[in-house]
Amino acid sequence: MATAIDIRAAMKRCATKATEDYPADIQGRSVAFLARLTGSLEHLGEAELAELPWSVTCTAPYTRPE
């Protein structure tokens, strides 16, 4: 289980990278942030938590890779 500090660091890292990659594209930045955050949370062992951002932002359900 990840700590709050781990999750905060992942969020900050993902937001920074998304902003660097898509400085003028809000939608691109948002999708990049969510994709990176999902991967980071899965890597931290928080697969259930990783599904939440997509469930509130996308019409298609998020499916975790096998």
Side-chain angles (χ1 to χ4, degrees), residues 7-39:
I7 294 171
R8 181 185 183 281
M11 290 177 72
K12 185 175 180 181
R13 190 172 47 253
C14 294
T16 299
K17 183 66 173 147
T19 301
E20 289 171 0
D21 290 348
Y22 298 93
D25 180 1
I26 294 170
Q27 185 173 355
R29 189 167 53 241
S30 298
V31 171
F33 170 73
L34 290 174
R36 285 187 177 96
L37 183 59
T38 298

Side-chain angles (χ1 to χ4, degrees), residues 1 4-6 13 16 21 25 34 38-39 46 52 58 66:
M1 178 184 280
I5 293 170
D6 296 333
R13 190 172 47 253
T16 299
D21 290 348
D25 180 1
L34 290 174
T38 298
E46 297 289 346
L52 292 177
C58 298
E66 297 294 323

